[in-house]
Amino acid sequence: MSDKKKELKPNTYKFDTLSLHAGYQPHKNAGSRQVPIYQTTSYLFDDVDHAAALFNLERGGHIYSRISNPTVGVLEERVASLEGGTAALATSSGMSAIFLAVMTLCEAGDHLVVSSQLYGGTVNLFRLTLPKFGIKCTFVKPRDTEGFKKAIQKNTKGIFGELVGNPGNEIMNMPEIAKIAHEAGIPLMVDATYQTPYLCKPFEHGADIVIHSLTKWMAGHGSSMAGILVEGGKFDWMQNDKFPTMTKPYEGYHGLSFAEEFGPTAFTMKARAEGMRDFGPCLSPQNAWNVLQGIETLSVRMKKHCSNAEEMVKYLMSHESVAWVSHPSVPDHPDHELAKKLLPNGRGSMIAFGIKGGKEAGVAFINNVKLASHLANVGDTRTLVIHPASGTHSQMDEATLKFAGLSHDMIRLSVGIEDIDDIKNDFEVGFRAARKPRLVSNQ
Amino acid sequence: MKFKVNNSEVYASTGGRPFDKKKPLIIFVHGSGLTHMTWVLQTRYFAFHGYNSLAVDLPGHGLSGGESLKSIEEMADWVSAVIDAVGHKEASLVGHSQGCLVTVECTSRYPDKIKTLSLMGGAGAIPMNPQLLSLAENNDPKAVDLMMDWAHGPAGHFGGHPVPGLYHINTGTMLAKSRTIQNTLGVDFRACDNYKNGFEAAKKIKCPTLSILATDDKMCPVKEGKKLASLIDGSQVDIIDNCGHMMLLEEADRVLTVLKKFITSNYPPLSS
Ligand SMILES: Cc1ncc(COP(=O)(O)O)c(C=O)c1O
């Protein structure tokens, strides 16, 4: 008995504590309990030697806020700690984090294997923009695990995907796809925006780089654009000769080899030293601070997002105006079991459902809900709805809609943390209008 | 760079500058289960300021080949062999934690070769908690988690890494897990636990010596570090407040400032 009592346990801080404290030491900041906003572009050097040391990466510290900033640094450490990562680099938006990750990994002539169910902006980046830089991509359906393997070529430098694709809620088998990537000696990059580390820590399932649009659930308040890339620190860049820009001397820093010098933080160090220097998508300290305010309550909010989402799933499934509901918590969702394994704390708050009456009914629903906001965002604390066929994807014909996993009757719902009864009452108004669209649409 | 010692390939970081035989040599020796990367915020400075900075990976660690050495005495001889292997006659040594045991033993064995000795989070003996030792020898990742907990002071637990965006505890964890735990940490912890000659070795040291200790160091408490320093003739001691055992990262700037002053005044760089 006494043996059991004495069993040693690491006392490192746990998730909820880290979301409030990680990355910040008040005693080094005039005792300020809240993280200060360092609203500055640049930082004094002690002397010429100190300046040279900072530029040569001999010392840690800040030079210029395009490269790093103390407020942004707190956010970076906080997200790294929550993800179980070694290092992180915050950017001005989720898109710039994805772009930076790709540009840190790839050169012209390289290739990526990419999940086909991605946020629309990301699809355009991979399909249209990256080829302009000589980087080609092969798209694979997220459930086609073997397809990822088959698509790997000699010049493939990584696999990219979103854990739960949008809007179809298709889940990629991250542990299996990570194995495929690692057998090929390449990293797996996962956009985990929809999960946040509260629902899933991709590094625990084999991912090597995690990306977030912090604009969404991480911040929650919908006030600020921000993105981040986080490094797992396990990937061995030196195992093969696929990543010369990580392993060979880099001219831009006196022949520095990032992998040799920085090992488990090499990717972030390179993304900052090269990417932030050359592309400059830096996050403003004010926005970093705003996002930090959101992260302080991440687990409290995510619990409510998920419980409200499950309530909404039940409500929608039994509703006479609803044709179908897609959410990983639905027992007959094809990835129901995988979701239980990868998302044990909740299946997220994105729901897609079909409204009876097709496009016309969808339009009427959207035009008549009052509490739910009709806009092009997800992951706000407020409930958001959109009807893709009449909004974001209105130029698409039937076949193209189908390929994108969309249909005319689909409503995409990002469940907020309002009182659940108020959300349901609001939806009743929308459904009533949808049942008789012509009667109410001209009101 | 890579070179051979006892027929086994050794990796040592040169701090971002090419090795240059004309410059005086500083060798940095890492702690249990870790690698050359723990020294990144000290080595690069010296490399850019007139020294050959060699942060070695002990055999079987980091990017070095071979198997982990089983005793502090073997490691001490190995450090001396590194000096020969890179074509130098003498060197300054810097050690952290287990690296302090190694460099103390090496300095006492090769007094003519070692010009200055800098000890970070050192002690004359590092007896291991039996449970921690057994976890490491049984390849249990919990050994690394416990080590990271104890190795960082209260401030380090919150973060605040000197390099923007890096998170102390997870970076240390990945370093310690980069090779098989029982073959690195397990062997190292056993070597530390077995080593009994630290206090005797210290008495023989005549070269200038510096000890940097930290008030929140749970692995090698200040009291133990002071005891070791008191046995070394004329040893300097610097104590850092609000910092744990990983002072070389937690308070990297402060460590570098003290180290820089000590080494440059006792073992001058090649002036350019
Ligand atoms: C999954 C996902 N990734 C990336 C992005 C892009 O992020 P941002 O809008 O912050 O640039 C979004 C935006 O909707 C997204 O939903």
Side-chain angles (χ1 to χ4, degrees):
Chain A
M1 212 177 85
S2 62
D3 261 9
K4 190 135 205 171
K5 233 185 196 161
K6 273 192 267 157
E7 193 192 322
L8 299 174
K9 274 207 186 110
N11 279 325
T12 38
Y13 293 117
K14 295 170 192 69
F15 194 89
D16 290 0
T17 309
L18 293 170
S19 39
L20 287 154
H21 293 279
Y24 181 61
Q25 298 184 13
H27 76 273
K28 288 191 175 165
N29 289 278
S32 169
R33 182 54 277 181
Q34 188 44 282
V35 177
I37 299 171
Y38 282 89
Q39 192 62 52
T40 183
T41 55
S42 31
Y43 308 83
L44 276 184
F45 304 125
D46 296 344
D47 51 32
V48 168
D49 192 43
H50 181 231
L54 286 169
F55 279 105
N56 289 333
L57 306 178
E58 294 164 26
R59 287 174 179 262
H62 304 283
I63 298 174
Y64 188 56
S65 286
R66 172 158 30 81
I67 314 294
S68 66
N69 167 285
T71 311
V72 178
V74 174
L75 172 65
E76 291 166 338
E77 277 196 55
R78 190 157 304 176
V79 178
S81 81
L82 293 173
E83 282 290 3
T86 53
L89 172 56
T91 55
S92 53
S93 68
M95 282 317 298
S96 53
I98 297 172
F99 182 69
L100 198 59
V102 171
M103 293 319 261
T104 303
L105 190 69
C106 297
E107 293 179 272
D110 288 346
H111 171 260
L112 293 167
V113 178
V114 178
S115 162
S116 62
Q117 284 254 325
L118 298 173
Y119 162 62
T122 316
V123 172
N124 285 329
L125 171 69
F126 283 114
R127 201 167 69 87
L128 303 172
T129 307
L130 289 177
K132 290 199 277 187
F133 292 85
I135 299 163
K136 298 230 167 80
C137 304
T138 302
F139 288 92
V140 178
K141 293 219 156 121
R143 288 194 185 114
D144 180 11
T145 305
E146 270 305 294
F148 283 89
K149 190 172 188 167
K150 287 194 200 117
I152 293 174
Q153 310 173 1
K154 239 176 128 188
N155 58 343
T156 303
K157 296 299 163 75
I159 296 180
F160 182 96
E162 286 173 23
L163 178 56
V164 182
N166 167 44
N169 282 320
E170 288 183 36
I171 303 189
M172 59 185 246
N173 194 330
M174 187 162 43
E176 289 304 315
I177 294 172
K179 258 188 234 153
I180 289 169
H182 297 156
E183 274 161 21
I186 56 174
L188 172 64
M189 298 188 281
V190 173
D191 177 339
T193 299
Y194 283 35
Q195 287 75 51
T196 81
Y198 176 78
L199 295 185
C200 178
K201 296 196 184 80
F203 296 138
E204 290 176 358
H205 303 285
D208 301 292
I209 308 289
V210 168
I211 294 155
H212 289 281
S213 165
L214 299 174
T215 317
K216 312 292 184 318
W217 288 264
M218 290 290 269
H221 37 55
S223 76
S224 311
M225 301 297 300
I228 201 159
L229 62 88
V230 194
E231 180 166 11
K234 208 184 253 179
F235 190 80
D236 177 7
W237 301 103
M238 297 167 82
Q239 64 182 292
N240 52 41
D241 55 7
K242 286 183 192 288
F243 305 100
T245 65
M246 295 292 296
T247 57
K248 296 268 177 308
Y250 178 50
E251 213 185 310
Y253 273 97
H254 294 289
L256 174 74
S257 154
F258 286 99
E260 273 188 33
E261 204 74 349
F262 302 113
T265 60
F267 191 79
T268 313
M269 291 300 286
K270 179 169 184 267
R272 192 185 299 280
E274 181 184 66
M276 294 312 263
R277 184 194 63 191
D278 302 352
F279 308 129
C282 54
L283 179 61
S284 76
Q286 177 68 59
N287 274 0
W289 190 86
N290 294 349
V291 174
L292 280 167
Q293 302 318 295
I295 290 178
E296 291 192 350
T297 57
L298 181 63
S299 59
V300 185
R301 285 187 290 109
M302 289 310 286
K303 274 192 197 99
K304 184 84 194 282
H305 272 297
C306 290
S307 63
N308 270 3
E310 299 206 1
E311 279 285 320
M312 283 308 284
V313 165
K314 279 189 219 141
Y315 161 78
L316 291 168
M317 281 180 65
S318 60
H319 203 286
E320 53 176 351
S321 298
V322 174
W324 54 268
V325 179
S326 166
H327 186 260
S329 70
V330 176
D332 65 359
H333 186 282
D335 303 313
H336 182 72
E337 288 306 313
L338 186 59
K340 266 195 202 161
K341 188 172 139 201
L342 298 179
L343 305 165
N345 290 338
R347 321 288 187 265
S349 55
M350 289 301 295
I351 300 172
F353 66 91
I355 189 161
K356 284 184 187 162
K359 187 169 176 175
E360 216 181 335
V363 170
F365 176 87
I366 294 284
N367 280 343
N368 283 280
V369 287
K370 298 285 184 289
L371 179 66
S373 309
H374 176 212
L375 50 72
N377 192 21
V378 293
D380 196 305
T381 40
R382 287 151 282 252
T383 294
L384 315 175
V385 288
I386 199 160
H387 179 229
S390 64
T392 48
H393 298 70
S394 52
Q395 297 95 333
M396 289 185 179
D397 58 25
E398 188 77 41
T400 325
L401 274 180
K402 200 164 174 210
F403 184 75
L406 297 163
S407 53
H408 280 299
D409 64 347
M410 177 193 278
I411 305 253
R412 191 184 73 181
L413 160 64
S414 172
V415 184
I417 61 173
E418 298 96 339
D419 188 289
I420 189 71
D421 290 337
D422 291 334
I423 307 175
K424 287 182 193 169
N425 288 341
D426 188 42
F427 271 46
E428 281 306 319
V429 175
F431 284 134
R432 251 197 316 273
R435 282 195 295 272
K436 6 181 193 164
R438 259 162 304 231
L439 286 182
V440 284
S441 63
N442 295 329
Q443 275 177 5
Chain B
M1 71 177 192
K2 291 205 162 164
F3 52 93
K4 290 223 157 158
V5 172
N6 306 332
N7 278 328
S8 209
E9 193 165 67
V10 176
Y11 174 83
S13 160
T14 55
R17 304 301 287 156
F19 195 81
D20 174 355
K21 279 228 168 99
K22 295 193 292 295
K23 293 179 181 171
L25 174 64
I26 310 175
I27 298 182
F28 294 81
V29 185
H30 61 76
S32 296
L34 294 171
T35 80
H36 70 276
M37 281 167 205
T38 48
W39 293 111
V40 69
L41 292 175
Q42 284 82 33
T43 46
R44 292 181 67 80
Y45 180 87
F46 287 101
F48 279 85
H49 289 81
Y51 291 95
N52 281 312
S53 206
L54 271 197
V56 293
D57 280 337
L58 288 171
H61 291 62
L63 304 172
S64 282
E67 291 199 359
S68 297
L69 302 173
K70 296 205 163 39
S71 72
I72 299 298
E73 290 84 349
E74 281 174 85
M75 296 178 209
D77 286 341
W78 180 86
V79 169
S80 163
V82 166
I83 302 174
D84 304 338
V86 298
H88 274 248
K89 296 211 156 35
E90 56 180 50
S92 264
L93 298 185
V94 185
H96 172 235
S97 191
Q98 170 191 302
C100 294
L101 302 181
V102 174
T103 51
V104 163
E105 180 65 28
C106 179
T107 308
S108 79
R109 287 182 177 217
Y110 305 94
D112 298 335
K113 249 180 170 169
I114 310 306
K115 295 302 162 189
T116 75
L117 174 62
S118 306
L119 305 170
M120 253 145 261
I126 310 184
M128 280 294 150
N129 175 303
Q131 228 186 92
L132 178 62
L133 179 57
S134 141
L135 287 167
E137 289 187 325
N138 286 304
N139 213 28
D140 191 327
K142 196 170 146 195
V144 173
D145 299 339
L146 284 166
M147 177 167 89
M148 287 304 138
D149 174 12
W150 297 345
H152 291 89
H157 273 251
F158 288 122
H161 201 291
V163 178
L166 271 56
Y167 189 66
H168 281 305
I169 289 189
N170 297 347
T171 307
T173 301
M174 291 319 299
L175 278 185
K177 289 183 180 170
S178 63
R179 304 267 301 249
T180 312
I181 294 166
Q182 67 193 141
N183 298 341
T184 51
L185 202 59
V187 176
D188 288 351
F189 278 175
R190 179 62 69 186
C192 287
D193 199 55
N194 283 341
Y195 181 63
K196 306 285 185 260
N197 193 44
F199 297 111
E200 284 313 306
K203 289 179 196 161
K204 295 188 197 145
I205 294 173
K206 298 286 175 253
C207 70
T209 302
L210 165 72
S211 284
I212 304 183
L213 307 170
T215 51
D216 296 328
D217 189 339
K218 282 196 207 167
M219 311 280 269
C220 296
V222 167
K223 192 171 76 159
E224 296 300 319
K226 279 186 172 168
K227 195 162 132 197
L228 174 69
S230 71
L231 298 173
I232 303 173
D233 246 3
S235 166
Q236 258 175 260
V237 177
D238 186 78
I239 298 175
I240 308 181
D241 282 336
N242 204 14
C243 178
H245 188 58
M246 294 306 289
M247 67 272 290
L248 63 179
L249 289 163
E250 283 181 73
E251 287 294 341
D253 257 13
R254 163 82 176 264
V255 164
L256 178 59
T257 305
V258 176
L259 199 58
K260 191 170 93 178
K261 193 162 159 228
F262 173 75
I263 293 184
T264 51
S265 56
N266 290 295
Y267 190 59
L270 183 75
S271 50
S272 49

